[in-house]
Amino acid sequence: MATKNEKLRIPPTLMEIDHILGVFSAKGGVGKSVMSVNLAKSLVSKGFKVGLVDGDIYGPSHPVLLNATDMQLNVTDQELLDPLEKNGLKFNSMGFISSEKMPVIWRGPMVSGAIMQLIAQTNWGKLDYLIIDTPPGTGDVQLTLLQKIALTGAIVVTTPQDISLADTKKGIEMLKKLDLPILGLIENMSFFKPNDSDKKYYLYGKEGGKKLAKEYKLDLLGEVPQFEFNNSNLTNENEVISKISNKIVEKIVSKVNLLPSKNKNEIPQINT
């Protein structure tokens, strides 16, 4: 275990990035990848230079969400990956490296190494924000990320039902033990609203995110509903989702600006 006086070596590719934000949830299937893409798009729409990393090695979804499955990565002379870019957003994903139908059958250390490579060996250049869509869980992969990348803060995503809240609590406890600032909580799939009615259907329970935020004294950044979409349109191309995402991003930017400056070389320690 690292001691408190050990220093973190920041990769040169990350030196020009002002803020690195991790999107976390110990529970899979809560829509964390969609939230990450939407937050990144909203930041771009506000004039920020933004990068996005798809950290889910086993199930990368950003190529589909960004409608970029036909794009290919380029390796530079310095053996760095040039990030792909679309509509002002730079991004990288294991989905551009592995075959669409080929599963990634790796053990934990290989997965941790792959995520670090995606982040640290991509030639990001100057960015205001780098958003890391982290894989679900609280194990080796998450700990490696938290102790090797100088994260500015975390955003936690959950859905309203009890089974999601129970796992999300574990993720929050992990972040607290490493003293990473939690910028707030996003409740996804808060309710379903059909196109032909104003009625709201609470398919997964009601106000679970609000109760969780109150329990941990976190800000509830937003409640994101489900709608009927054409062509699986889950991202900011939907006007309602875009407005909600923009409001969430405004809160995140304000919170980041209020964070005290800290030594980015310090290795986060687990508080027991």
Side-chain angles (χ1 to χ4, degrees):
M1 177 62 65
T3 58
K4 291 186 183 293
N5 61 355
E6 285 187 288
K7 299 296 180 182
L8 178 65
R9 181 179 177 274
I10 300 177
T13 53
L14 305 182
M15 293 295 288
E16 292 188 280
I17 300 175
D18 292 339
H19 304 293
I20 303 178
L21 305 180
V23 181
F24 288 87
S25 179
K27 181 66 176 174
V30 298
K32 183 168 45 57
S33 293
V34 174
M35 289 297 105
S36 298
V37 169
N38 286 346
L39 295 178
K41 284 186 170 185
S42 288
L43 284 166
V44 170
S45 74
K46 294 184 179 300
F48 293 107
K49 296 179 180 178
V50 185
L52 175 66
V53 179
D54 186 355
D56 195 340
I57 299 299
Y58 293 122
S61 56
H62 291 195
V64 174
L65 290 171
L66 292 166
N67 194 24
T69 52
D70 59 342
M71 299 179 74
Q72 294 183 340
L73 291 170
N74 177 55
V75 181
T76 69
D77 292 339
Q78 291 80 28
E79 296 185 353
L80 296 175
L81 294 170
D82 279 335
L84 298 173
E85 187 167 351
K86 191 171 185 179
N87 299 323
L89 173 64
K90 295 181 177 180
F91 54 94
N92 202 352
S93 168
M94 188 68 185
F96 297 114
I97 299 171
S98 63
S99 168
E100 181 181 355
K101 295 183 179 180
M102 183 64 67
V104 176
I105 308 174
W106 290 349
R107 295 187 184 276
M110 292 181 68
V111 175
S112 301
I115 293 176
M116 289 304 301
Q117 284 185 308
L118 276 178
I119 298 170
Q121 290 183 224
T122 297
N123 188 24
W124 297 108
K126 177 72 175 75
L127 294 178
D128 298 305
Y129 288 92
L130 178 64
I131 306 295
I132 302 177
D133 175 15
T134 70
T138 57
D140 181 65
V141 174
Q142 291 75 23
L143 187 59
T144 298
L145 177 62
L146 287 164
Q147 293 195 307
K148 288 192 175 182
I149 298 294
L151 294 175
T152 304
I155 300 148
V156 178
V157 180
T158 188
T159 50
Q161 69 264 50
D162 290 342
I163 192 169
S164 175
L165 298 172
D167 284 347
T168 303
K169 287 179 183 180
K170 297 173 185 176
I172 293 172
E173 291 290 348
M174 173 187 68
L175 298 170
K176 286 167 63 70
K177 283 184 177 293
L178 286 156
D179 278 337
L180 182 66
I182 302 175
L183 302 176
L185 179 74
I186 299 173
E187 182 188 83
N188 193 26
M189 308 180 199
S190 296
F191 56 86
F192 170 73
K193 182 179 175 298
N195 291 337
D196 59 356
S197 172
D198 289 330
K199 187 173 181 179
K200 297 177 181 179
Y201 296 88
Y202 296 91
L203 304 178
Y204 305 112
K206 191 175 182 181
E207 297 186 344
K210 186 179 291 186
K211 294 172 185 174
L212 183 62
K214 183 178 181 180
E215 179 179 347
Y216 281 95
K217 297 186 168 102
L218 299 174
D219 285 338
L220 185 61
L221 298 173
E223 296 170 305
V224 184
Q226 291 179 296
F227 296 94
E228 292 183 63
F229 293 108
N230 295 323
N231 301 320
S232 299
N233 182 3
L234 299 173
T235 63
N236 274 25
E237 295 168 20
N238 176 275
E239 184 178 355
V240 177
I241 297 295
S242 180
K243 287 181 180 179
I244 295 171
S245 182
N246 287 341
K247 288 181 180 179
I248 292 173
V249 155
E250 288 171 4
K251 295 177 184 178
I252 290 171
V253 171
S254 296
K255 286 179 172 294
V256 167
N257 291 337
L258 291 174
L259 287 175
S261 59
K262 64 178 182 179
N263 183 0
K264 288 188 176 182
N265 294 323
E266 221 172 78
I267 297 177
Q269 302 300 305
I270 296 177
N271 299 318
T272 56

